[in-house]
Amino acid sequence: MTPDGAVLGADGLRRCGWGDSTDDYRVYHDTEWGRPVHGDDALFERVCLEAFQSGLSWLTILRRREGFRAAFAGFEIGKVAEFGEADKERLLADTGIIRNRAKIEAAIANARAARDLDGGLDALIWQFAADPDRPTPRTLDEVPAVTPESTALAKALKKAGFRFVGPTTAYALMQACGLVDDHLADCHVRTGGPER
C-alpha cells in the first residue's frame, strides 16, 4: 500500500484497496464502479441492489447479480411494478437472490414509485450529483459514508415513495453510479490508466 492508500495489484495497477481484494471486485472496480450510469431501468437496478446489500457484503450481491436480473425481469421498471403476490412468493423461493421479504417488497414498491415519477428516476437521482471539483480522496479514510447530497437524495427518494434508501445507501448508490468519484488519487481508474 502506498502512503495515500492505493494498493499495487499483481497486474501492476494501483487500485482502491477494496478493488484488489478479489477477482470479482477487481473487474467491478476497474470497469463499473464510479462510472456514470444513466437510464431509469439501469438506475432502478442499482437502487434495488444497494437496498438488498444493506447489512451484507457487496460481494454477496455482486456474485448474485445475474440471479437478481433474472428474478426481477431485467429490472425493467414497468414489469417489476406489476409484480403481485405470486411473484413475491416466487422471489422468496429463489435461491439465486437474497430472500428477504422486506427487501423484495421494497423492490416492488420502488418500481411502482419509479414508474410514477414525473420526469423519471434518472432526472431525480442525477440532480444530487456531487461537485466534481471536490477534493480527491487520498486514502479510504477520506471517503465519507454520508454526505449532504446523499442525505438530500435519500429524502427525495423517500418522499417519492422509495424504501430502503437511507443516506448511507444513497451515498453507496452515488459512488456506484458515478454521481461522485471516490477512486483514490493514484488509483489507475482515476488517473486514466490502461483500463479507463
Side-chain angles (χ1 to χ4, degrees):
M1 184 178 285
T2 63
D4 56 11
V7 173
L8 183 62
D11 59 2
L13 298 175
R14 293 197 180 281
R15 290 181 179 82
C16 305
W18 65 268
D20 200 57
S21 60
T22 70
D23 288 341
D24 293 316
Y25 272 159
R26 202 168 3 269
V27 170
Y28 177 69
H29 170 274
D30 288 0
T31 64
E32 187 173 351
W33 190 75
R35 310 269 173 120
V37 174
H38 284 284
D40 288 358
D41 290 343
L43 286 165
F44 172 65
E45 174 183 352
R46 294 346 187 267
V47 168
C48 289
L49 294 179
E50 292 294 345
F52 273 100
Q53 186 271 330
S54 182
L56 302 170
S57 159
W58 178 246
L59 191 58
T60 300
I61 302 303
L62 201 54
R63 288 180 173 164
R64 294 180 184 210
R65 193 173 192 182
E66 291 309 315
F68 276 107
R69 286 175 172 163
F72 284 93
F75 289 102
E76 289 183 43
I77 292 169
K79 289 182 179 178
V80 179
E82 297 301 319
F83 280 12
E85 288 304 316
D87 293 295
K88 289 179 190 176
E89 294 308 313
R90 171 183 58 81
L91 292 166
L92 284 167
D94 190 333
T95 59
I97 66 169
I98 304 302
R99 296 174 293 170
N100 177 296
R101 183 177 295 276
K103 292 177 181 182
I104 288 169
E105 290 177 351
I108 296 167
N110 290 350
R112 293 172 183 158
R115 176 192 61 194
D116 297 341
L117 280 174
D118 288 334
L121 186 58
D122 190 295
L124 173 64
I125 289 175
W126 273 92
Q127 69 180 307
F128 296 99
D131 179 355
D133 295 325
R134 75 183 204 149
T136 300
R138 298 194 59 75
T139 68
L140 292 177
D141 289 342
E142 294 176 15
V143 177
V146 174
T147 63
E149 295 90 352
S150 75
T151 301
L153 173 56
K155 185 176 179 181
L157 287 167
K158 285 180 183 177
K159 184 176 180 183
F162 285 76
R163 302 181 197 168
F164 274 92
V165 288
T168 303
T169 298
Y171 193 67
L173 173 72
M174 292 173 69
Q175 291 173 304
C177 296
L179 280 80
V180 62
D181 184 355
D182 276 342
H183 285 283
L184 300 182
D186 70 346
C187 170
H188 81 92
V189 175
R190 182 179 280 277
T191 61
E195 299 289 333
R196 189 97 170 157

